[in-house]
Amino acid sequence: MSLLPIQLKHLAGISQLLPKNNPGGPPLQRDEASGLHWFNLYKSSTPAQNSMLPILVDLNGNHLWLNCEQQHLTKLYQAPFCHSTQCIRANTHQCLSCPADRPGCHRNACGLLSTNPITQQTGLGELGQDFLGVYLAQGSQLGPILVIPNFLFSCAPSFLLQKGLPKGTQGVAGFGHGPISLPNQVASHYGLEHQFTMCLGRHSTSQGSVIFGDTAIYMPRIHKQDIFHEVAVTPLTITAQGEYNVRVNSIKVNQHTFSLPTQPEDSGAAGGTMISTAAPHMVLQHSIFEAFTKMFAQQMPKQAQVKPVAPFGLCFNSNMVSKFPNVDLVMDRPNGPVWRISGEELVAHVRPGLTCLAVVNGGMQTRAPVTIGARQLEERVVVFDLARSTLRFSTSTLGSRGLKCGDLVNFVHY
Amino acid sequence: MSLLPIQLKHLAGISQLLPKNNPGGPPLQRDEASGLHWFNLYKSSTPAQNSMLPILVDLNGNHLWLNCEQQHLTKLYQAPFCHSTQCIRANTHQCLSCPADRPGCHRNACGLLSTNPITQQTGLGELGQDFLGVYLAQGSQLGPILVIPNFLFSCAPSFLLQKGLPKGTQGVAGFGHGPISLPNQVASHYGLEHQFTMCLGRHSTSQGSVIFGDTAIYMPRIHKQDIFHEVAVTPLTITAQGEYNVRVNSIKVNQHTFSLPTQPEDSGAAGGTMISTAAPHMVLQHSIFEAFTKMFAQQMPKQAQVKPVAPFGLCFNSNMVSKFPNVDLVMDRPNGPVWRISGEELVAHVRPGLTCLAVVNGGMQTRAPVTIGARQLEERVVVFDLARSTLRFSTSTLGSRGLKCGDLVNFVHY
C-alpha cells in the first residue's frame, strides 16, 4: 500500500484504486438479446487468430466449465487423478475413466457435475487443470491478460452449451463461494481478500466489470463524485445448494409496504432472497408475485393498464404513463438498508406504446421467494465479501448520480 | 522473484531461499517424552507476559483448534453466523446456539467437530474468526510474528486437551488438505503456492521447521551440500476421511522384499499408506506387522534376540548387535523411488542393553495397512504439494549427508 491513511483526508483528486498486487479483473459485456452478461477468456492455442472465448457470468455457479473439444487448452492441460488433492479441493470423490487420451477424456480422472444456469441442465465433465487467461482490456486482442496457472475447471459435455446461452458462448464461469469458483482461485493465487466487486453495464456506452479482491481503499473521485459512495451493507448467506442469499425484510412500492414471510433461521433458503445473473428479470414466488403486482398496479393510473403480453403479467400503455413507482427492497430487518429500484428498472419496453412490469411469476415452487435478477444488478456496484459474509450494494443506481459502470472501468488502476 | 533462472548455473554460494512475499513459517520443537512435535502461537491478550501458546502439529487435521477459555483471543474475535460464507468455507452447515456471549459460546454460531489426534476423542466447538499469530523465531518472545487476519479455527471444548498431548499444549494445528487447514489459510492470505515443507528435528541441537509456500527454487548450499538434494517424488492422495495417503509398493529389509497387498484403485484408503505426526512410531496392520517383524528378525543374529517388552514385539540385547538392517519403502510402483529408513531409525533404546524394533502392531483393523510415523519423518525434508498432489521426500536422512533440519532454519530467508 503506498499511501498512509493519514493522507485520506488530503485525497481530493484521482487516487490509486487498487493495491499494487491486484490485477483488477475482466470487463463484462451485456448480450442485448438475452440480457445476460459475459466476458472473454483467452484461448491459448492459436494466439493470433480469434483468441477470445466468450464465457457467461454465473453468479451462483461453483466452478468454470468449458467445452474443451475446440482445442482451447494449452499443452500443460492435465486431468488430476482420482483422489488427488485437486479433486478433493473441487469436492469430488467421483472417479471417471474414459478410454481416449484427450482433454475431457482420460483414464483415472475425476468427474464434476456442471450446470447450464439458464436451462438448468446438468452434465458430468472431467476436472481439468490448466492455465487460465482472462482479458483485462475490452475490444482488442492486444493488451494485458490475467493469467492463473494450475487453474481448476471442468471440461463439460458440449450439449450443455446448446440451449439458453447467448450465441457463441463457449463456457460458463461460476462466481460462487466454493473453493474452485473463479473469484476464489484468483484471490488465492494473488493473496487477495476473498471478495469481488461486480458492476454490470446496462448500455453500450457503459462497460461492466468484475474486480477481484478489495477495491475502494482509496476512492476515485470522478467529476467530484465518488463511485463507491452510497453503498450499504447487508449480511450474505449461503443456501444448502450453495447459492448466495440475502434477506429482504419487506418491499415498498411508493410508500406502501408489505412484509415478506419470514424464513425459519435454519431453513435451506437461509436469507430467503436469491441473487442471480442467470435470471434477467426479478422472479417472485406466486403469492408474493400476486401481492406485488397488485400493489404496483394500484400505484398506476387505472386507465393505463392494458391486456398483459406473455411472459409478463402486468402491462401498460406507455403513452399514458408519466412515471413508474419506485420499489424499495428493505434489507435484513424492518428499518434496514434500502435497495432502491426505480420503476424504470422494473419495466420492459416490449414495443412502442407497450410497457410491462418485468417481473416473472416463478410459480408455487421457486428456489427462493424472491430472486433479484441481472436487471436489478445493472448500473450498480455490488460487492460480494466472502471473508466477512456481507453484500455491499449501491442503494440507488449509478445513473441517479450521473455516473455509470463504465466510469469504474476507466479507473481500474494498479 | 529477484534472480533469473539464467543465473542458476552461477549459484555457488548462499542464495535466497524464499521469494520476497513468503514469510517462511514457524520453527518446530520435539517433545522428548512423547515424540510429538509442536510450535508456538502468539497469544495476543497480554503481550508482555507469557505470550506463547504451545500447539501440537497434526498433519492430517483439517483445522486449528484451541481452548479459548484462557483469553487467547483478541477483541476482534467473532463467531461467524450460521450459513455465513465462513461457515460454508469450513464445511459446516451446523448451527449452534449458546446463551452466553463469550469466545466459544455465542447465539447463532456454527459448530465444528475437533479431534484429539492422539486419543481420537472428538468434541464439538464453535467456529471462530480472529487474528492468528505464529512465532517465527525460536526461544524468544522477541522478533517477527507471522500474522493472518480473519483466520478461521475452532474454540474446542477444554476436555479435548486433557489427555495424550504434551504437557502444556493449548491446541492442535491441522496441516491437512482442507480449506481451513493452517497451510491453506496461510497460502491463500499470502498468495503462496499451496504446498508446505516440513523438517521435524530429532535432537535438541536440531530445530525443526515448517515453511509455507514454495521453498527451494534456489537451493541453499551449506557446507557445499544442498539440503534439497536427493529428494524424490511420489503421488499424494486423500482418503475419504480426509487423510494424506501415499502408496508403498513393497518393503525391503536389507535385500529381502515383500510386496504389500494392492489397494483397489477406488478404495477409501486410496494410496494405502498413511503419514501421521500423531503416531510417534510406524504402525503396521497385523499381518503386515507379522511378516515384517519376521523378516527383520531374520536379518539379526539369532542370539541377540530377547523377550520383547510392551508395547514392542521384537527386542534385542543391544550389546550383541553391531548394526541394524536398513529398511527401504519402495514407493508408488515396483521400481519406484525409495524411502530409506536406517535400522537405527526403526529401533527404540528402551534402556541400556535393551533395544526394540519400534514398530507398532495396529491390530486387524487399522486405518491403513501402513502408517509412517513421526520418527520416520524426523531429520528429513518432506514437501506436501497440494497443487500438484505430490509428496517430495528426502530419500535418506539429512544426517546421512552430514546435515540436519536445524540447518534449514538458519536459512529461512525472504
mmCIF file of all heavy atoms in Angstrom, chain A residues 232-254:
data_model
loop_
_atom_site.group_PDB
_atom_site.id
_atom_site.type_symbol
_atom_site.label_atom_id
_atom_site.label_comp_id
_atom_site.label_asym_id
_atom_site.label_seq_id
_atom_site.Cartn_x
_atom_site.Cartn_y
_atom_site.Cartn_z
ATOM 1 N N ALA A 232 -24.518 0.449 0.797
ATOM 2 C CA ALA A 232 -24.979 -0.087 2.079
ATOM 3 C C ALA A 232 -24.533 -1.535 2.205
ATOM 4 O O ALA A 232 -24.081 -2.149 1.242
ATOM 5 C CB ALA A 232 -26.492 0.007 2.161
ATOM 6 N N VAL A 233 -24.664 -2.103 3.408
ATOM 7 C CA VAL A 233 -24.201 -3.467 3.647
ATOM 8 C C VAL A 233 -25.308 -4.307 4.257
ATOM 9 O O VAL A 233 -26.099 -3.820 5.076
ATOM 10 C CB VAL A 233 -22.945 -3.447 4.554
ATOM 11 C CG1 VAL A 233 -23.221 -2.760 5.873
ATOM 12 C CG2 VAL A 233 -22.425 -4.848 4.793
ATOM 13 N N THR A 234 -25.389 -5.570 3.832
ATOM 14 C CA THR A 234 -26.365 -6.491 4.391
ATOM 15 C C THR A 234 -25.703 -7.860 4.508
ATOM 16 O O THR A 234 -24.777 -8.174 3.739
ATOM 17 C CB THR A 234 -27.642 -6.522 3.511
ATOM 18 O OG1 THR A 234 -28.688 -7.189 4.203
ATOM 19 C CG2 THR A 234 -27.379 -7.234 2.178
ATOM 20 N N PRO A 235 -26.126 -8.699 5.460
ATOM 21 C CA PRO A 235 -25.470 -10.000 5.587
ATOM 22 C C PRO A 235 -25.711 -10.880 4.356
ATOM 23 O O PRO A 235 -26.760 -10.809 3.721
ATOM 24 C CB PRO A 235 -26.132 -10.624 6.818
ATOM 25 C CG PRO A 235 -26.715 -9.486 7.570
ATOM 26 C CD PRO A 235 -27.102 -8.469 6.552
ATOM 27 N N LEU A 236 -24.720 -11.703 4.065
ATOM 28 C CA LEU A 236 -24.771 -12.634 2.932
ATOM 29 C C LEU A 236 -24.753 -14.041 3.513
ATOM 30 O O LEU A 236 -23.989 -14.310 4.441
ATOM 31 C CB LEU A 236 -23.528 -12.401 2.068
ATOM 32 C CG LEU A 236 -23.351 -13.148 0.760
ATOM 33 C CD1 LEU A 236 -24.379 -12.687 -0.271
ATOM 34 C CD2 LEU A 236 -21.949 -12.931 0.227
ATOM 35 N N THR A 237 -25.626 -14.908 3.028
ATOM 36 C CA THR A 237 -25.595 -16.292 3.474
ATOM 37 C C THR A 237 -25.516 -17.218 2.278
ATOM 38 O O THR A 237 -25.699 -16.796 1.130
ATOM 39 C CB THR A 237 -26.845 -16.639 4.309
ATOM 40 O OG1 THR A 237 -27.998 -16.160 3.622
ATOM 41 C CG2 THR A 237 -26.766 -16.020 5.686
ATOM 42 N N ILE A 238 -25.275 -18.490 2.563
ATOM 43 C CA ILE A 238 -25.177 -19.494 1.510
ATOM 44 C C ILE A 238 -26.226 -20.562 1.789
ATOM 45 O O ILE A 238 -26.327 -21.053 2.916
ATOM 46 C CB ILE A 238 -23.782 -20.153 1.487
ATOM 47 C CG1 ILE A 238 -22.683 -19.094 1.431
ATOM 48 C CG2 ILE A 238 -23.655 -21.134 0.339
ATOM 49 C CD1 ILE A 238 -22.614 -18.316 0.146
ATOM 50 N N THR A 239 -27.002 -20.918 0.785
ATOM 51 C CA THR A 239 -28.013 -21.941 0.969
ATOM 52 C C THR A 239 -27.379 -23.325 0.967
ATOM 53 O O THR A 239 -26.208 -23.479 0.621
ATOM 54 C CB THR A 239 -29.044 -21.904 -0.170
ATOM 55 O OG1 THR A 239 -28.368 -22.282 -1.380
ATOM 56 C CG2 THR A 239 -29.651 -20.540 -0.338
ATOM 57 N N ALA A 240 -28.169 -24.311 1.315
ATOM 58 C CA ALA A 240 -27.675 -25.682 1.289
ATOM 59 C C ALA A 240 -27.252 -26.081 -0.123
ATOM 60 O O ALA A 240 -26.383 -26.943 -0.296
ATOM 61 C CB ALA A 240 -28.742 -26.625 1.822
ATOM 62 N N GLN A 241 -27.853 -25.451 -1.143
ATOM 63 C CA GLN A 241 -27.478 -25.751 -2.529
ATOM 64 C C GLN A 241 -26.295 -24.886 -3.000
ATOM 65 O O GLN A 241 -25.939 -24.913 -4.166
ATOM 66 C CB GLN A 241 -28.656 -25.532 -3.484
ATOM 67 C CG GLN A 241 -29.790 -26.532 -3.296
ATOM 68 C CD GLN A 241 -30.656 -26.169 -2.099
ATOM 69 O OE1 GLN A 241 -30.910 -24.982 -1.841
ATOM 70 N NE2 GLN A 241 -31.112 -27.169 -1.360
ATOM 71 N N GLY A 242 -25.746 -24.104 -2.091
ATOM 72 C CA GLY A 242 -24.558 -23.335 -2.459
ATOM 73 C C GLY A 242 -24.807 -22.001 -3.126
ATOM 74 O O GLY A 242 -23.901 -21.409 -3.697
ATOM 75 N N GLU A 243 -26.053 -21.484 -3.043
ATOM 76 C CA GLU A 243 -26.327 -20.209 -3.703
ATOM 77 C C GLU A 243 -26.204 -19.047 -2.718
ATOM 78 O O GLU A 243 -26.422 -19.211 -1.517
ATOM 79 C CB GLU A 243 -27.757 -20.201 -4.265
ATOM 80 C CG GLU A 243 -28.019 -21.323 -5.250
ATOM 81 C CD GLU A 243 -29.370 -21.956 -5.034
ATOM 82 O OE1 GLU A 243 -29.947 -21.803 -3.928
ATOM 83 O OE2 GLU A 243 -29.871 -22.598 -5.982
ATOM 84 N N TYR A 244 -25.876 -17.865 -3.256
ATOM 85 C CA TYR A 244 -25.855 -16.668 -2.427
ATOM 86 C C TYR A 244 -27.279 -16.300 -2.023
ATOM 87 O O TYR A 244 -28.200 -16.387 -2.838
ATOM 88 C CB TYR A 244 -25.282 -15.476 -3.211
ATOM 89 C CG TYR A 244 -23.818 -15.585 -3.524
ATOM 90 C CD1 TYR A 244 -23.372 -15.622 -4.846
ATOM 91 C CD2 TYR A 244 -22.864 -15.610 -2.517
ATOM 92 C CE1 TYR A 244 -22.022 -15.705 -5.147
ATOM 93 C CE2 TYR A 244 -21.503 -15.687 -2.815
ATOM 94 C CZ TYR A 244 -21.097 -15.737 -4.121
ATOM 95 O OH TYR A 244 -19.766 -15.813 -4.425
ATOM 96 N N ASN A 245 -27.434 -15.854 -0.810
ATOM 97 C CA ASN A 245 -28.733 -15.407 -0.318
ATOM 98 C C ASN A 245 -28.539 -14.123 0.483
ATOM 99 O O ASN A 245 -27.532 -13.949 1.170
ATOM 100 C CB ASN A 245 -29.307 -16.478 0.629
ATOM 101 C CG ASN A 245 -30.534 -17.152 0.082
ATOM 102 O OD1 ASN A 245 -31.476 -17.402 0.807
ATOM 103 N ND2 ASN A 245 -30.548 -17.467 -1.188
ATOM 104 N N VAL A 246 -29.547 -13.260 0.389
ATOM 105 C CA VAL A 246 -29.643 -12.126 1.307
ATOM 106 C C VAL A 246 -31.064 -12.159 1.853
ATOM 107 O O VAL A 246 -31.877 -12.980 1.434
ATOM 108 C CB VAL A 246 -29.355 -10.783 0.589
ATOM 109 C CG1 VAL A 246 -27.874 -10.685 0.217
ATOM 110 C CG2 VAL A 246 -30.219 -10.605 -0.639
ATOM 111 N N ARG A 247 -31.359 -11.280 2.765
ATOM 112 C CA ARG A 247 -32.712 -11.282 3.310
ATOM 113 C C ARG A 247 -33.398 -9.985 2.939
ATOM 114 O O ARG A 247 -32.891 -8.891 3.226
ATOM 115 C CB ARG A 247 -32.667 -11.419 4.837
ATOM 116 C CG ARG A 247 -34.056 -11.424 5.470
ATOM 117 C CD ARG A 247 -33.974 -11.226 6.994
ATOM 118 N NE ARG A 247 -33.098 -12.158 7.644
ATOM 119 C CZ ARG A 247 -33.486 -13.343 8.120
ATOM 120 N NH1 ARG A 247 -34.738 -13.743 7.988
ATOM 121 N NH2 ARG A 247 -32.607 -14.126 8.731
ATOM 122 N N VAL A 248 -34.551 -10.116 2.282
ATOM 123 C CA VAL A 248 -35.376 -8.928 2.048
ATOM 124 C C VAL A 248 -36.459 -8.955 3.108
ATOM 125 O O VAL A 248 -37.227 -9.901 3.194
ATOM 126 C CB VAL A 248 -35.998 -8.945 0.631
ATOM 127 C CG1 VAL A 248 -36.999 -7.805 0.481
ATOM 128 C CG2 VAL A 248 -34.903 -8.836 -0.422
ATOM 129 N N ASN A 249 -36.461 -7.944 3.933
ATOM 130 C CA ASN A 249 -37.433 -7.893 5.038
ATOM 131 C C ASN A 249 -38.825 -7.511 4.545
ATOM 132 O O ASN A 249 -39.825 -8.106 4.922
ATOM 133 C CB ASN A 249 -36.951 -6.896 6.089
ATOM 134 C CG ASN A 249 -37.852 -6.882 7.306
ATOM 135 O OD1 ASN A 249 -38.770 -6.082 7.418
ATOM 136 N ND2 ASN A 249 -37.634 -7.822 8.210
ATOM 137 N N SER A 250 -38.857 -6.493 3.678
ATOM 138 C CA SER A 250 -40.155 -6.058 3.145
ATOM 139 C C SER A 250 -39.927 -5.323 1.833
ATOM 140 O O SER A 250 -38.813 -4.916 1.524
ATOM 141 C CB SER A 250 -40.846 -5.138 4.153
ATOM 142 O OG SER A 250 -39.960 -4.108 4.549
ATOM 143 N N ILE A 251 -41.022 -5.191 1.095
ATOM 144 C CA ILE A 251 -40.975 -4.470 -0.181
ATOM 145 C C ILE A 251 -41.911 -3.268 -0.095
ATOM 146 O O ILE A 251 -43.048 -3.389 0.363
ATOM 147 C CB ILE A 251 -41.402 -5.393 -1.348
ATOM 148 C CG1 ILE A 251 -40.503 -6.635 -1.395
ATOM 149 C CG2 ILE A 251 -41.321 -4.632 -2.677
ATOM 150 C CD1 ILE A 251 -40.824 -7.581 -2.552
ATOM 151 N N LYS A 252 -41.438 -2.132 -0.531
ATOM 152 C CA LYS A 252 -42.268 -0.921 -0.533
ATOM 153 C C LYS A 252 -42.474 -0.478 -1.969
ATOM 154 O O LYS A 252 -41.514 -0.379 -2.737
ATOM 155 C CB LYS A 252 -41.498 0.217 0.137
ATOM 156 C CG LYS A 252 -41.552 0.289 1.635
ATOM 157 C CD LYS A 252 -40.657 1.479 2.074
ATOM 158 C CE LYS A 252 -40.937 1.903 3.481
ATOM 159 N NZ LYS A 252 -40.064 3.010 3.899
ATOM 160 N N VAL A 253 -43.705 -0.207 -2.292
ATOM 161 C CA VAL A 253 -43.988 0.383 -3.596
ATOM 162 C C VAL A 253 -44.526 1.772 -3.321
ATOM 163 O O VAL A 253 -45.587 1.910 -2.708
ATOM 164 C CB VAL A 253 -45.014 -0.455 -4.388
ATOM 165 C CG1 VAL A 253 -45.269 0.169 -5.759
ATOM 166 C CG2 VAL A 253 -44.533 -1.881 -4.522
ATOM 167 N N ASN A 254 -43.851 2.786 -3.756
ATOM 168 C CA ASN A 254 -44.028 4.156 -3.246
ATOM 169 C C ASN A 254 -44.027 4.032 -1.717
ATOM 170 O O ASN A 254 -43.051 3.596 -1.157
ATOM 171 C CB ASN A 254 -45.262 4.847 -3.807
ATOM 172 C CG ASN A 254 -45.011 5.352 -5.236
ATOM 173 O OD1 ASN A 254 -43.865 5.331 -5.706
ATOM 174 N ND2 ASN A 254 -46.030 5.775 -5.923
#
